[in-house]
């Protein structure tokens, strides 16, 4: 299968499997799994935090982070399209008793600073207490500008609010910044994190590990987070097998993310050309956006079913959703998608006859 559905579908590489097999193990609930501890220490040092916590998923890592900043009845300001608000099962409200205050995202993925400021509640018993501002980077594949993050952080600090980063694809953002600025991707990741009190980083998306995310923050914050993780059922025992995969990914799979971005651009250019000149898809296929490793294309509803069937027939997997009367296809490049997959896909699209 040529699987463009998500960067969560990757399989561990041979070298990653070797690292997993060789991992020394302990019991992470007792805090003595050396492989988990090594991952947490390395990630914290890499990204400029005092401590880190290994969690089974990004959803749980974010929820633990939100619960660390907000008490029952407190409020977190979030983007309308953020995963923490829309795609994580309502956990902040259901399990954390945290009121989300969503703000509409603009076309570039940002939230308007004036709207963030206006959403902050006064100290009045009529209102939930605003405690936290959440950002997501990347968001829909788009990179939040560092200048914008700094402005939001300054606003939050000035109003006494904490900042949490949903950095599931943090290293994709860092890789894009490094390519644009001619800098080092690890330095860029650390620079993004410098504006936040806490951050989550997914190890099983673009980094290619099989399972797990990290929550990062101060030592006291992570100490409390460990208790919350236990309460949520996220404490694992001999988790070093999984942590070793994440550790390997941090060391060996970060710089290669720029290759995913370049490959996505090739895919986007080819599909855009089909939308301009293909006898059937002309004016029926449009590249809606292409950022980092995520591409959205809109297909006219009258042709979408047959195109999707054609792609499936040729082993090409994408996700789909309804968007403004058209079908929106989401393509994601990752560790297990190479130039041959893109070439095969563009050839199939070229041969599509409706």
């Amino acid at each position: 299968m040529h699987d463009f559905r998500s960067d969560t579908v990757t399989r561990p590489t041979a070298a990653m499997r070797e690292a997993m097999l060789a991992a020394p193990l302990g019991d992470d609930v007792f805090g003595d799994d050396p492989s988990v501890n090594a991952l947490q220490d390395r990630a914290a040092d890499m990204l400029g935090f005092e401590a880190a916590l290994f969690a089974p998923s990004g959803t749980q890592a974010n929820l633990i982070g939100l619960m660390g900043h907000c008490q029952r009845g407190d409020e977190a300001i979030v983007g309308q399209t953020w995963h923490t608000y829309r795609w994580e099962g309502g956990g902040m409200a259901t399990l954390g008793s945290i009121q989300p205050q969503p703000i509409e995202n603009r076309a570039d993925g940002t939230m308007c600073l004036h709207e963030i400021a206006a959403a902050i509640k006064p100290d009045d018993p009529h209102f939930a207490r605003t405690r936290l501002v959440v950002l997501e980077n990347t968001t829909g594949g788009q990179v939040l500008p560092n200048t914008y993050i700094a402005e939001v952080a300054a606003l939050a600090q000035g109003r006494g609010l904490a900042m949490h980063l949903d950095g599931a694809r943090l290293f994709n953002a860092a890789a894009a910044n490094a390519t644009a600025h001619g800098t080092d991707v690890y330095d860029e990741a650390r620079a993004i994190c410098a504006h936040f009190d806490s951050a989550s980083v997914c190890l099983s998306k673009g980094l290619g590990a099989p399972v797990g995310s990290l929550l990062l923050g101060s030592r006291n914050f992570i100490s409390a987070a460990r208790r919350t993780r236990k309460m949520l059922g996220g404490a694992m025992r001999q988790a070093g097998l999984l942590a070793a995969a994440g550790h390997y990914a941090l060391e060996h799979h970060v710089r290669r993310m720029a290759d995913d971005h370049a490959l996505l651009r090739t895919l986007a250019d080819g599909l855009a050309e089909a939308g301009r000149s293909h006898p059937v898809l002309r004016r029926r296929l449009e590249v809606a956006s292409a950022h980092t490793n995520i591409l959205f294309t809109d297909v006219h509803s009258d042709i979408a079913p047959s195109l999707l069937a054609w792609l499936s027939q040729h082993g090409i997997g994408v996700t789909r959703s309804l968007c403004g009367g058209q079908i929106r296809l989401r393509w994601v490049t990752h560790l297990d998608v190479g130039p041959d997959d893109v070439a095969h896909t563009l050839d199939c699209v070229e041969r599509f006859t409706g």
Side-chain angles (χ1 to χ4, degrees):
M1 184 175 180
H2 311 273
D3 201 340
F4 294 90
R5 290 175 300 162
S6 176
D7 44 10
T8 60
V9 302
T10 58
R11 303 294 191 270
T13 64
M16 181 180 285
R17 291 172 189 262
E18 289 179 9
M20 295 171 71
L21 287 172
L25 304 179
D27 188 326
D28 185 45
V29 175
F30 291 137
D32 63 14
D33 187 302
S35 296
V36 172
N37 292 339
L39 167 65
Q40 293 171 163
D41 291 345
R42 179 67 178 116
D45 180 67
M46 180 183 291
L47 295 174
F49 290 95
E50 290 181 351
L53 183 70
F54 185 49
S57 70
T59 295
Q60 188 175 104
N62 279 328
L63 178 58
I64 295 169
L66 294 173
M67 291 175 68
H69 292 295
C70 299
Q71 301 303 306
R72 183 179 178 88
D74 288 345
E75 178 182 83
I77 294 174
V78 292
Q80 184 72 241
T81 62
W82 283 175
H83 278 71
T84 44
Y85 176 63
R86 180 170 291 191
W87 300 102
E88 295 183 352
M92 72 162 73
T94 304
L95 301 177
S97 296
I98 301 165
Q99 173 170 290
Q101 172 58 70
I103 293 177
E104 203 66 42
N105 293 99
R106 297 183 289 192
D108 64 355
T110 63
M111 300 181 293
C112 176
L113 284 171
H114 295 300
E115 292 184 10
I116 295 174
I120 300 171
K121 308 299 186 291
D123 185 7
D124 185 309
H126 291 87
F127 303 113
R129 296 170 296 184
T130 308
R131 295 296 195 203
L132 179 67
V133 177
V134 180
L135 296 183
E136 182 175 303
N137 196 17
T138 65
T139 173
Q142 298 183 93
V143 179
L144 298 184
N146 284 351
T147 52
Y148 169 77
I149 296 172
E151 290 171 343
V152 176
L155 170 62
Q157 184 177 19
R159 301 293 291 272
L161 307 180
M163 289 275 289
H164 175 72
L165 171 66
D166 177 358
R169 294 185 175 89
L170 165 69
F171 285 105
N172 287 104
N177 287 344
T179 298
H181 305 150
T183 49
D184 183 74
V185 62
Y186 291 101
D187 291 341
E188 290 288 351
R190 191 181 181 99
I192 292 171
C193 289
H195 298 287
F196 294 90
D197 299 285
S198 62
S200 67
V201 178
C202 186
L203 300 169
S204 65
K205 287 191 169 75
L207 287 171
V211 172
S213 285
L214 291 160
L215 177 67
L216 303 105
S218 69
R219 287 189 183 86
N220 288 341
F221 183 85
I222 294 301
S223 178
R226 181 174 291 274
R227 175 181 290 272
T228 305
R229 185 187 67 175
K230 178 67 174 177
M231 180 174 62
L232 295 175
M236 299 178 284
R237 296 294 181 176
Q238 287 74 35
L241 281 170
L242 300 174
H247 199 156
Y248 182 90
L250 284 178
E251 302 293 354
H252 299 282
H253 289 173
V254 170
R255 297 193 189 282
R256 61 152 305 281
M257 284 182 165
D259 298 336
D260 295 339
H261 299 177
L263 202 56
L264 185 92
R265 188 70 260 166
T266 299
L267 178 64
D269 290 345
L271 292 175
E273 178 58 32
R276 289 189 294 267
S277 61
H278 189 279
V280 178
L281 295 173
R282 182 172 179 266
R283 296 182 180 177
R284 289 175 166 181
L285 171 65
E286 178 185 356
V287 173
S289 65
H291 305 281
T292 58
N293 69 323
I294 299 178
L295 165 70
F296 293 100
T297 59
D298 290 340
V299 185
H300 199 280
S301 58
D302 67 350
I303 200 69
S306 56
L307 176 61
L308 284 165
W310 176 259
L311 294 175
S312 179
Q313 178 184 336
H314 289 83
I316 298 166
V318 294
T319 56
R320 70 201 73 176
S321 61
L322 185 63
C323 183
Q326 300 194 94
I327 303 300
R328 175 157 288 184
L329 306 184
R330 178 178 180 260
W331 311 74
V332 185
T333 51
H334 50 76
L335 184 67
D336 287 349
V337 166
D340 289 346
D341 298 289
V342 171
H344 171 78
T345 298
L346 295 177
D347 176 66
C348 283
V349 170
E350 181 63 28
R351 293 186 288 109
F352 175 65
T353 61

